[in-house]
Amino acid sequence: MAAPLTLLVIVAVTIRAVLFRSSLAELISERVEVVSPLNSWKRVVEGLALLDLGVSPYSGDVFHETPLTIYLYHFVIDYAEIVCMIADGITAVALYLAVQVYNKNVFRKQKYALEADRYPHDCLELMQTPKELFYVPLKVAMFYLLSPFTILSCVAKSTCGINNAIVALFVLCTIKGSALLSAIFLALATYQSIYPITLFAPALIYLLQRLYIPVNLRRQSFWLFTLQYAFMFVGSLVVIVGLSFFLLGSWDYIPSVYGFILSVPDLTPNIGLFWYFFAEMFEHFRLFFICVFQINVFFYTIPLSIKLKDHPVFLMFMQIAIISIFKSYPTVGDIALYMAFLPVWSHLYRFLRNIFMVSCVLLACSALFPVLWHLWIYAGSANSNFYYAITLLFNVGQVLLVSDYFYAYLRREHHLSHGLYLKKKDGSEATLVLK
Amino acid sequence: MFQDRMGLLSDPNRRRALTNLLTRLNTPICVLCYLAGVAWFMGLAFEPFTLRTYMSENAMGSTMVEERFPAGERALVTAREFGAHKRKSGAMPVDWLVKTMQSRGLEVYTQSFSRRLPFPDENKERYMVRGTNVYGILRAPRAPRTEALVLSAPCSPDNSNNQAVGLLLGLAQYFRSQIYWAKDIIFLVNEHDLIGMQAWLEAYHHTNITGMDWAPLHGRGGSIQAALSLELSSDVVTSLDLVLEGLNGQLPNLDLANLFYTFCQKQDILCTIQEKLQRSDWDSVSGYSQAVQTMALMVLKQASGRPWGDHGLFLRYHIESATIRGINSFRQYKTDTTTVGRLLEGMFRKLNNLLERLHQSYFFYLLPSLSRFVSIGYYMPAFGFLAVILLLRALDLWVQLGALPSVTEDGVGVTDQSSSPSLVSILTPVVISHLTGAALYTLPVLSQELAVQHFPVSETEAVVLTAIAIYTAGLALPHNTHRFMLAEGTEQGWRVLKLVAVLYLAVLLSCTALINFSLGFILALTLVPVAAFVTPHVPKVLSAVVMVLLAPGCTLLYCVFAFQELQEAPVSLIDGWMLFLSVISQGMLDHALYGSLVYPLLALFIYPCWLILWNILFWK
């Protein structure tokens, strides 16, 4: 399987290299859908220039990267394009390996369950065959590397690619079962953009499951491991934060990065839900609604963790998707990350209900973004409402997509325990309804 | 309502019922939608369905101005003098213009520019264009000169726009003596019509979009708020025609048209749009037909994506602008230059009152007459009905694709999809079609020299004929595409391909219709039926003929004939064909010179999309 993966990486790198050399690169790096104030390359350059002049990069209101990122770029500024491509490559390979291990586990579990005769007999057709599973990791890598969203994000030299790589490495380490590395990468991801902290729950559940520790609040072993993992996470976070402080010699970056993410002062239009809402709002409601919007991102962790406590990897996917939909400055690069996971759930295809409609909506919206932007900004004939309408539709599409997968996953699990052909009490055929 | 919707999305039984209904009645619903779309469009011109135009801009609506421009006769004398100098020098008399403008008390500057066309323009007989723009700025006495208005008059070697230049100079002299100007007024005489205008605008805004050579401007006013372009070629006029259609089908704010209409009524000038006089008997057949013709002309002009007057290029810079064209026909009632001058004076004084750019009124509209308009909310459903057909067909195909390996809607009872079409068999036609499109876009201009060497044709003919040759060669593609395909095309295969094509077309047309409704609608009228009916199982020869007749190229041909017919200048088949050829070359020139997007859109997207559908017809 290494050969197709290598080929894929070569194709992906070629596409990116060609685009980097074309006149499109400049156009793409200006698009609000692709870069946000958080990860725009222009701002990184500005921050580096300030750093070189001996001024704090966070003076002024332009630069919002973390100190570690700026020091990384300080050394590789001349090879920025290569770094972006390497980051994409790392993400793809990490996801590839992670999914490979995950699928092996799934298949093993399925085999044991079949041998123990735990599934109802009519559920055989729901089983995942090795043939199907074999190509899934490659498809995941392909979905990430060849997705137009990732390509755009990479060509714009958005630092989103690096964040994605960190999250992907975190997923890989978690699935491989290395608690320490998992905690370190989780701390790094959290340090980069706060939101990944919600991935703590799925990672913990996965690691517990791996060690055969039941999720039971009364068990001592559960608390022991939780504390251990939390300690590793907090410890590495403290180390990273402290390191940043020593690199710059000031705490300037805390308000400039995390304050910027949480209080959303920059209302440049993007594909998220924040900008229009807060541009329209009266100032004195702002704090309240910021709290509501931000809590919204974190809130789903609790119910989802309870519902999906036996399926941590799916929970991880759900969390990544929710973050990229509801975060304050989303870009298409974030979307590409969770969409790369979709092939893993391809066995849910038969239970998806709105996939056709949703993919049409997402497709149409992606094409309409630049058109309405043109009409609003250049032609002056449309206005921000047009653009926001598309943003809203795009996000509704994404929410429907994710909830569709959620429903399909639960439905398959239900069938696996209750049989595929459900009967009502009177013997007639029953259908499952989500209410 | 909301719960109901959610129910529809989650309740499998109701979903199944809805899907069944949509698949069973798919064809009748599609036909109905098509008819509804056409009927809706035709209904737009019916007066009770349209809205009366009204002035939305507060700064221009409530204030009164009194027009006092007295010097129409003197303007005509200036015009004759200008004409004499122009004849003598054989080009624009730059020195004379500079001197005259200076004597009128303006700050005068010139700008030279040059441009080599990608291939000779046979309509206007130009290839290497060199020229000079002359403009004078009247500085605003009452405000900090941060804003400006433009009055322009084109001056080409071929047309005699002398009266416009004369009136422009007369107005300059008169405006100079008034004290109420709060915006700079720029009087611009641009040579080589649009090319000169393009050079001036690019220099004014420090942009270079089209790779033209021009000298930078030495004098500049404030940011331009509005512009009027004047075309007069007779001493008296019977009516004034308002031209609104700009580059890529952009239109100025409707308030500018309202302003023109208000002042025409005030000055008692006959005013027209699309050179069609409004009729008062809207309820008669001829009255309605007049309105339909006016609107259809606007749709055709807008769809062409080219600027129909010098104002058309201003719109790209977010400047509201229109061209006012004097028409002299055989009518009894004539308007003299003084009155036209007063009309312009009135319009400029109102524009002078603006506090911000015109933005209150509509930007998306169609005009069946000057006093009536159709806004975007009214005309979009016409396109919507056509677009829904594509979605319905896509849904139908999706259900068929799901049904083939016997899936019930609820996801129970799937057999393994072993016969799913390979990715290659879908991608091959898509890629090859797009390569043909790219060839159609790039080759004609690149290969003109080669063609001229080997065939007895001029450069322009070479370009156009190469384009037509590539277009026609594309029709032979399905035959060759199959050679590349290793596997046999399956039943599933064409369905997937058609699904891709239909969705692609839907997205393409919607985006086009948003930017340029007319273009999107015209393309939808011919392409949607093709996309809806084509399958490999329809009679080959008949369908092939129908498809060719509904292809983008033929659509263009029909549009040429329809346009001539509506302008009451019908042409014979041969003349129509020649006109068709010149329209193609003009389209390419518009793209190269001004950045019109119609040619690339047709060559790179619409034509390949049609080719994919053509491939489906010949699916093996």
Side-chain angles (χ1 to χ4, degrees):
Chain A
M1 281 302 275
L5 186 66
T6 319
L7 191 69
L8 183 69
V9 171
I10 290 171
V11 170
V13 167
T14 316
I15 293 174
R16 284 162 173 76
V18 168
L19 280 174
F20 270 129
R21 294 281 162 269
S22 76
S23 56
L24 284 174
E26 202 184 339
L27 183 80
I28 292 171
S29 61
E30 302 276 312
R31 299 295 317 171
V32 286
E33 296 89 358
V34 183
V35 295
S36 72
L38 270 182
N39 56 25
S40 132
W41 175 247
K42 254 187 177 173
R43 292 174 187 252
V44 174
V45 173
E46 175 73 19
L48 281 173
L50 289 176
L51 192 70
D52 287 345
L53 290 174
V55 186
S56 160
Y58 300 101
S59 54
D61 192 33
V62 175
F63 185 70
H64 305 288
E65 299 283 350
T66 50
L68 285 189
T69 322
I70 192 169
Y71 272 95
L72 170 71
Y73 273 110
H74 188 71
F75 295 115
V76 296
I77 177 80
D78 298 330
Y79 314 102
E81 296 174 2
I82 298 174
V83 171
C84 287
M85 291 196 268
I86 291 178
D88 275 6
I90 290 177
T91 316
V93 174
L95 289 180
Y96 176 89
L97 295 175
V99 170
Q100 211 171 26
V101 176
Y102 170 68
N103 274 346
K104 242 178 236 161
N105 291 344
V106 165
F107 187 68
R108 207 177 51 221
K109 239 184 241 169
Q110 187 178 291
K111 207 170 85 184
Y112 290 152
L114 274 176
E115 279 165 6
D117 211 10
R118 223 179 294 152
Y119 293 135
H121 292 290
D122 53 356
C123 278
L124 278 180
E125 58 185 79
L126 287 183
M127 297 298 112
Q128 290 177 276
T129 58
K131 192 183 150 213
E132 281 168 21
L133 289 177
F134 185 67
Y135 288 107
V136 166
L138 192 66
K139 278 186 193 161
V140 169
M142 194 161 82
F143 258 56
Y144 189 75
L145 281 179
L146 299 187
S147 148
F149 289 159
T150 326
I151 294 176
L152 286 177
S153 179
C154 178
V155 171
K157 293 189 250 180
S158 154
T159 51
C160 181
I162 294 183
N163 294 355
N164 282 354
I166 295 173
V167 174
L169 285 174
F170 154 74
V171 174
L172 174 65
C173 296
T174 315
I175 290 182
K176 285 255 185 191
S178 151
L180 178 64
L181 279 178
S182 154
I184 289 175
F185 279 113
L186 182 61
L188 254 178
T190 311
Y191 165 78
Q192 285 285 354
S193 61
I194 298 184
Y195 295 114
I197 198 171
T198 57
L199 295 174
F200 183 84
L204 179 67
I205 296 174
Y206 185 87
L207 293 170
L208 284 170
Q209 218 179 51
R210 221 182 120 83
L211 298 171
Y212 304 106
I213 304 173
V215 183
N216 187 340
L217 297 184
R218 292 205 197 107
R219 293 282 284 270
Q220 201 188 356
S221 56
F222 167 77
W223 284 112
L224 200 66
F225 186 78
T226 308
L227 280 178
Q228 205 180 342
Y229 188 63
F231 180 75
M232 284 192 278
F233 169 68
V234 173
S236 27
L237 195 60
V238 165
V239 168
I240 295 166
V241 168
L243 191 63
S244 306
F245 171 74
F246 289 119
L247 276 177
L248 282 182
S250 80
W251 293 111
D252 279 353
Y253 74 93
I254 300 272
S256 195
V257 177
Y258 307 118
F260 187 78
I261 293 174
L262 290 177
S263 68
V264 203
D266 191 318
L267 298 180
T268 317
N270 56 32
I271 54 170
L273 297 164
F274 280 67
W275 63 274
Y276 185 84
F277 203 75
F278 288 100
E280 296 289 311
M281 184 173 302
F282 288 121
E283 197 59 36
H284 50 275
F285 294 127
R286 196 182 154 88
L287 183 64
F288 172 70
F289 277 102
I290 287 229
C291 294
V292 173
F293 268 59
Q294 298 286 12
I295 287 172
N296 180 43
V297 189
F298 298 99
F299 178 74
Y300 298 104
T301 315
I302 303 162
L304 283 178
S305 307
I306 294 169
K307 188 76 198 165
L308 292 172
K309 64 176 186 298
D310 299 330
H311 312 284
V313 177
F314 189 73
L315 176 61
M316 218 179 270
F317 158 73
M318 291 292 290
Q319 289 292 353
I320 294 175
I322 284 169
I323 290 171
S324 75
I325 296 169
F326 293 119
K327 73 193 277 193
S328 46
Y329 302 100
T331 57
V332 290
D334 299 306
I335 295 170
L337 181 63
Y338 84 81
M339 288 211 170
F341 280 93
L342 294 185
V344 183
W345 322 117
S346 55
H347 59 283
L348 301 178
Y349 174 77
R350 52 188 294 170
F351 297 118
L352 294 176
R353 297 151 311 149
N354 300 321
I355 187 72
F356 176 65
M357 199 183 76
V358 168
S359 32
C360 284
V361 165
L362 292 183
L363 203 73
C365 285
S366 313
L368 285 176
F369 273 127
V371 169
L372 288 168
W373 181 259
H374 169 86
L375 284 181
W376 174 21
I377 301 296
Y378 295 99
S381 36
N383 53 40
S384 56
N385 299 328
F386 287 58
Y387 191 76
Y388 188 62
I390 288 303
T391 313
L392 208 55
L393 193 61
F394 188 66
N395 282 301
V396 168
Q398 287 189 71
V399 170
L400 274 180
L401 179 77
V402 173
S403 53
D404 215 11
Y405 270 97
F406 181 56
Y407 168 79
Y409 196 89
L410 292 184
R411 172 113 189 256
R412 181 169 176 272
E413 291 305 316
H414 185 84
H415 281 309
L416 282 182
S417 53
H418 294 89
L420 188 53
Y421 299 97
L422 301 172
K423 299 273 189 245
K424 279 183 194 162
K425 273 176 193 153
D426 58 355
S428 63
E429 200 180 314
T431 47
L432 282 180
V433 177
L434 182 72
K435 278 195 173 148
Chain B
M1 176 81 176
F2 184 65
Q3 265 201 330
D4 212 348
R5 286 269 176 74
M6 290 313 284
L8 202 61
L9 288 181
S10 58
D11 181 351
N13 293 325
R14 269 195 267 173
R15 284 163 57 85
R16 194 184 308 161
L18 184 74
T19 327
N20 278 349
L21 189 76
L22 284 180
T23 29
R24 203 151 31 87
L25 296 177
N26 203 283
T27 313
I29 294 178
C30 285
V31 172
L32 216 62
C33 278
Y34 190 80
L35 295 178
V38 176
W40 188 288
F41 180 74
M42 296 309 280
L44 290 177
F46 190 51
E47 200 166 308
F49 296 162
T50 59
L51 297 174
R52 178 169 285 282
T53 53
Y54 56 90
M55 190 74 86
S56 303
E57 177 59 58
N58 210 21
M60 295 200 309
S62 55
T63 48
M64 294 292 290
V65 293
E66 191 181 346
E67 302 84 25
R68 294 199 178 131
F69 177 68
E73 287 306 314
R74 210 186 305 161
L76 288 180
V77 173
T78 322
R80 276 191 279 277
E81 208 178 318
F82 172 74
H85 278 92
K86 187 170 145 188
R87 259 196 310 282
K88 204 163 66 186
S89 61
M92 194 163 87
V94 176
D95 295 335
W96 182 85
L97 262 176
V98 170
K99 225 184 303 160
T100 321
M101 278 194 183
Q102 269 165 352
S103 73
R104 304 281 197 269
L106 304 180
E107 266 182 64
V108 189
Y109 303 95
T110 58
Q111 181 211 15
S112 57
F113 58 88
S114 68
R115 168 88 207 194
R116 191 164 148 261
L117 272 55
F119 55 90
D121 181 356
E122 289 194 344
N123 281 28
K124 291 186 174 152
E125 290 170 357
R126 56 190 184 189
Y127 183 48
M128 275 298 300
V129 180
R130 271 175 209 292
T132 313
N133 293 324
V134 181
Y135 65 102
I137 305 176
L138 167 60
R139 296 291 180 188
R142 291 187 73 121
R145 302 172 179 181
T146 51
E147 295 175 337
L149 302 172
V150 173
L151 177 63
S152 77
C155 167
S156 305
D158 53 338
N159 81 340
S160 54
N161 202 19
N162 302 340
Q163 281 80 356
V165 178
L167 185 56
L168 176 129
L169 292 170
L171 280 171
Q173 187 169 25
Y174 173 73
F175 283 2
R176 176 79 173 80
S177 58
Q178 306 305 318
I179 48 142
Y180 40 66
W181 299 113
K183 298 183 183 12
D184 294 342
I185 298 182
I186 302 174
F187 297 91
L188 167 68
V189 181
N190 53 316
E191 204 176 356
H192 298 295
D193 45 58
L194 284 164
I195 297 184
M197 188 57 93
Q198 172 88 8
W200 190 79
L201 278 170
E202 286 192 352
Y204 198 92
H205 294 101
H206 292 296
T207 54
N208 197 340
I209 314 167
T210 51
M212 185 186 228
D213 289 325
W214 38 256
L217 299 185
H218 294 298
R220 206 179 254 100
S223 99
I224 303 174
Q225 303 292 301
L228 288 178
S229 176
L230 187 62
E231 291 179 21
L232 283 181
S233 35
S234 58
D235 289 356
V236 285
V237 295
T238 47
S239 60
L240 289 179
D241 188 51
L242 183 69
V243 186
L244 296 171
E245 298 84 3
L247 189 70
N248 290 328
Q250 237 185 307
L251 298 170
N253 195 285
L254 187 57
D255 268 343
L256 200 65
N258 296 337
L259 184 68
F260 171 76
Y261 182 61
T262 324
F263 272 96
C264 279
Q265 294 210 306
K266 189 177 175 194
Q267 301 289 338
D268 214 9
I269 303 174
L270 218 50
C271 56
T272 59
I273 187 156
Q274 321 300 347
E275 301 180 18
K276 298 238 182 231
L277 205 56
Q278 186 179 356
R279 294 176 62 130
S280 51
D281 52 340
W282 58 267
D283 45 353
S284 71
V285 174
S286 58
Y288 170 69
S289 121
Q290 179 89 340
V292 169
Q293 287 179 19
T294 315
M295 195 177 73
L297 265 175
M298 177 159 189
V299 166
L300 285 173
K301 279 187 179 177
Q302 199 189 3
S304 75
R306 57 185 319 199
W308 285 82
D310 279 7
H311 72 281
L313 297 173
F314 280 98
L315 295 169
R316 176 194 273 154
Y317 299 94
H318 215 324
I319 300 166
E320 307 314 317
S321 61
T323 295
I324 296 173
R325 186 173 289 159
I327 310 263
N328 195 14
S329 65
F330 301 110
R331 247 174 239 278
Q332 285 289 319
Y333 183 78
K334 304 275 183 189
T335 306
D336 62 354
T337 318
T338 312
T339 323
V340 178
R342 285 195 175 156
L343 171 99
L344 288 169
E345 185 200 350
M347 288 180 75
F348 267 90
R349 287 199 59 183
K350 286 271 191 175
L351 290 171
N352 183 46
N353 288 341
L354 280 183
L355 297 176
E356 45 188 333
R357 279 169 197 275
L358 286 174
H359 67 280
Q360 299 271 10
S361 194
Y362 295 86
F363 283 96
F364 297 104
Y365 52 85
L366 294 176
L367 293 172
S369 71
L370 256 180
S371 63
R372 292 271 163 180
F373 77 102
V374 184
S375 76
I376 182 168
Y378 288 81
Y379 68 59
M380 258 320 180
F383 175 79
F385 277 122
L386 299 184
V388 156
I389 297 176
L390 294 178
L391 293 186
L392 282 176
R393 291 317 278 197
L395 185 72
D396 189 32
L397 282 168
W398 179 258
V399 173
Q400 282 178 19
L401 276 174
L404 282 182
S406 74
V407 190
T408 58
E409 169 66 14
D410 205 28
V412 174
V414 190
T415 56
D416 191 22
Q417 288 198 357
S418 55
S419 64
S420 70
S422 68
L423 194 65
V424 180
S425 71
I426 308 302
L427 271 183
T428 317
V430 174
V431 170
I432 290 186
S433 303
H434 279 86
L435 288 181
T436 320
L440 181 60
Y441 175 66
T442 48
L443 284 188
V445 176
L446 284 183
S447 66
Q448 51 173 324
E449 277 174 28
L450 198 72
V452 169
Q453 278 168 13
H454 291 89
F455 299 98
V457 286
S458 72
E459 272 98 346
T460 320
E461 284 170 331
V463 171
V464 174
L465 294 178
T466 317
I468 294 180
I470 296 174
Y471 179 87
T472 324
L475 301 188
L477 272 185
H479 181 67
N480 297 323
T481 319
H482 290 301
R483 281 197 210 148
F484 287 103
M485 283 167 25
L486 304 169
E488 277 287 290
T490 52
E491 271 300 289
Q492 290 263 29
W494 73 261
R495 288 209 167 87
V496 175
L497 186 60
K498 187 173 169 185
L499 185 67
V500 170
V502 165
L503 287 178
Y504 183 39
L505 188 64
V507 170
L508 212 54
L509 289 180
S510 322
C511 290
T512 313
L514 269 176
I515 292 180
N516 184 345
F517 164 77
S518 305
L519 184 60
F521 185 74
I522 289 178
L523 287 175
L525 268 186
T526 52
L527 284 176
V528 165
V530 172
F533 87 84
V534 67
T535 63
H537 306 306
V538 288
K540 284 270 171 352
V541 181
L542 183 68
S543 321
V545 171
V546 171
M547 271 198 79
V548 170
L549 288 181
L550 290 179
C554 290
T555 313
L556 183 60
L557 189 64
Y558 307 144
C559 286
V560 169
F561 279 106
F563 184 69
Q564 292 298 324
E565 198 63 40
L566 287 169
Q567 280 209 318
E568 291 159 21
V571 286
S572 65
L573 276 180
I574 299 296
D575 289 346
W577 176 253
M578 297 313 287
L579 208 57
F580 171 67
L581 297 185
S582 88
V583 162
I584 296 176
S585 71
Q586 290 298 313
M588 292 184 193
L589 278 177
D590 282 346
H591 172 57
L593 292 181
Y594 319 121
S596 153
L597 294 176
V598 176
Y599 177 60
L601 175 80
L602 289 181
L604 293 177
F605 298 105
I606 302 284
Y607 173 63
C609 192
W610 181 85
L611 273 184
I612 298 175
L613 295 170
W614 180 255
N615 256 300
I616 293 168
L617 180 65
F618 294 100
W619 189 265
K620 281 184 195 131

